[in-house]
Amino acid sequence: MNKTLLARDQEVVWHPFTPLKNAPQPLVVKSGKGIYLTLEDGREIIDAISSWWVNIHGHANEYIAQAIAKQALQLEHVIFGGFTHEPAIKLAENVLSVLPPGQNKVFYSDNGSTAVEVGLKMAMQYWYNRGITKKKVIAIRGAYHGDTFGAMSVGERGGFTAAFSPYLFEVNFIDFPTSANQDEVYQQFEAIVESEEVGAFIFEPLLQGSGGMRVYDHVFLDKLIKKAKEKNVVCIADEVMTGFGRTGKWFASDYLENKPDIFCLSKGLTGGTMALGATSCSSEIVRAFESEDVMKTFFHGHSFTANPIACACANASFELLSKKSCWENIQRIQDSQLRFKEQMTGHPNIRDIRVCGTVCAIELDFKGQTSYFNKSRNHIYNYFLEKNILLRPLGNVIYVMPPYIIEERELEEIHNAIGEFLDTI
Ligand SMILES: Cc1ncc(COP(=O)(O)O)c(C=O)c1O
C-alpha cells in the first residue's frame, strides 16, 4: 500500500523547533494562494502570521512567480566571487534607495541568521582592520537574532541556546526597556559603553519578535544609539523581521533620528518567496575594508550568495511594495489592529495587548508566566487551527502578522476568533 505523505514525512524529515517526540503532526500543505493555504484534504487555512513573518504579498503571487520563472530561464545561478549580474546590482540599488541615508554597500547571504552573522563579523572586522581593540558586544535581553553561533551569542540565553552555551562568545546584555525601567537600562548601557572596549551594539528596533512580540519606545532606542555613537560603537539594526513595511514604514529605523551603521535584512526582502539575506553598511564601515592589504578582505561568502533567482524575486517584491496601494493596505491593517487593541483592552484574560505597525500581540493571562515555553501554547495553536486560522503563539502570546493583501473582513474574522477564544478561557 502507498504510504501517505505524512507517514513518509515522519520517517525521514526533521522539522525546525519541533520535538521529535509528542509533537503534533505537521499539516501537509498542497498549495497556497493569497492569504490562504490549502491542505492535502482540501481544508483552507488563513495564514495570519505570513508564514514565519516572511510573506508580505500573499502566497503564490503571480507577479513574483513570473519574475522567478523569467530569471530561472535566463541565469539561474552563478558564482558571485569574480562575477556579477543585473538582479543583484538592481536589488542593492533598490534596497539602498529606501534604507536611511548613509548606507553604502550591500552584502548578500542566505537568510536572517546569516544576515546577522555578516553584520556582526563586519563590525568586528571593522575594528580589527583599523588595529583597534573593541571586543565587547552589547545586546538586549530577550532578543532573537537567529540560530548560527554568532546570532545565538547575541540572543537570549535560555532553552534555545542551552546546549551550545559553552561555545557562545561573551556578550553584555542590557535589560529589555519598558516604561518602568528606562533610567535603569540607560545606566546599564552607559556603564558598559563608557569602557573603551565596546565595538558593537545589536538590537531589533522597536519590536522584539521571538522574545514575545515585545514593543519598546523608539525614543529610548534613539537615546541608546546616540550614546553608542558618542562612544564610537557600531550600531547594528536587525531588521530581519521589522523591515519592508512591517512596522508601518519601510524600516523600523525610519522612526529613529540616530541611524544605525549596519542593517540586517531577510524575510520580507523577497516577499517571503525565496531564501535571501542582505546586510548593508555605511561608507565608514566600507572604508576600513578598502585596503591594499589582502588580509583586510572580508573573507565571508556562501555558495548561493546573491542567487540571481532570489534577487529577481526580491526585485519583484520591491516593485509591489513600492506601490501606493500596498502602503494603503499597510495603513489599513495598522488602523484595524489599533481598533482591535482598543476594543480588547481591559479584557480580564489579557495581560497586555500591543500594536506595532501591522503587528498586534496579545499576551494572555493564562497558565503561569509569560514565556515561549508557557504550557498554553499547544492548546491555543490547536484551537485556532480547528477554526482554520494559522496563529503560532509564542507561549501565551498570540500575535497577528498578516500578509499586506489581507482584506478587512478577513482580518476581522481573525480578530473575532481571538475575541471568542478569550471569552472561552
Ligand atoms: C529579528 C530576527 N533576526 C533574525 C532572525 C533569523 O532569521 P532566519 O530564521 O531567516 O535565519 C529572525 C527569525 O525569526 C528574526 O526574527
Side-chain angles (χ1 to χ4, degrees), residues 343-358:
Q343 191 189 324
M344 299 313 290
T345 299
H347 193 290
N349 293 330
I350 293 182
R351 207 167 275 165
D352 186 36
I353 178 162
R354 39 197 183 255
V355 171
C356 182
T358 63

Side-chain angles (χ1 to χ4, degrees), residues 53 111-114 116 144-146 204 209-210 238 240-241 266-267:
W53 324 342
N111 53 58
S113 304
T114 54
V116 167
Y144 178 77
H145 295 290
E204 291 159 272
S210 303
D238 176 354
V240 166
M241 180 189 70
S266 188
K267 295 197 188 271

Side-chain angles (χ1 to χ4, degrees), residues 281-349:
C281 66
S282 65
S283 41
E284 168 65 24
I285 304 285
V286 170
R287 258 197 302 280
F289 293 81
E290 285 171 341
S291 170
E292 310 269 306
D293 180 356
V294 73
M295 295 322 288
K296 291 192 175 173
T297 303
F298 189 50
F299 287 111
H300 186 108
H302 305 273
S303 313
F304 290 100
T305 291
N307 172 261
I309 305 175
C311 290
C313 168
N315 283 321
S317 172
F318 184 89
E319 281 174 45
L320 295 176
L321 187 53
S322 300
K323 288 188 175 173
K324 192 165 158 250
S325 56
C326 189
W327 291 96
E328 285 165 358
N329 283 342
I330 289 171
Q331 185 62 50
R332 177 179 50 73
I333 295 169
Q334 185 165 312
D335 293 344
S336 180
Q337 301 275 45
L338 283 169
R339 276 198 306 279
F340 180 60
K341 175 185 163 182
E342 212 168 286
Q343 191 189 324
M344 299 313 290
T345 299
H347 193 290
N349 293 330

Side-chain angles (χ1 to χ4, degrees), residues 118-135 198-201 228-229 231-236 261-262 281-291 295-299:
V118 166
L120 289 168
K121 285 177 74 174
M122 265 181 188
M124 289 168 178
Q125 195 177 338
Y126 166 76
W127 294 115
Y128 173 88
N129 281 2
R130 295 181 58 198
I132 298 172
T133 306
K134 263 169 142 342
K135 286 189 184 158
V198 183
F201 168 40
K229 296 217 161 204
K231 292 287 165 187
N232 287 324
V233 174
V234 175
C235 294
I236 307 172
D261 306 291
I262 292 177
C281 66
S282 65
S283 41
E284 168 65 24
I285 304 285
V286 170
R287 258 197 302 280
F289 293 81
E290 285 171 341
S291 170
M295 295 322 288
K296 291 192 175 173
T297 303
F298 189 50
F299 287 111

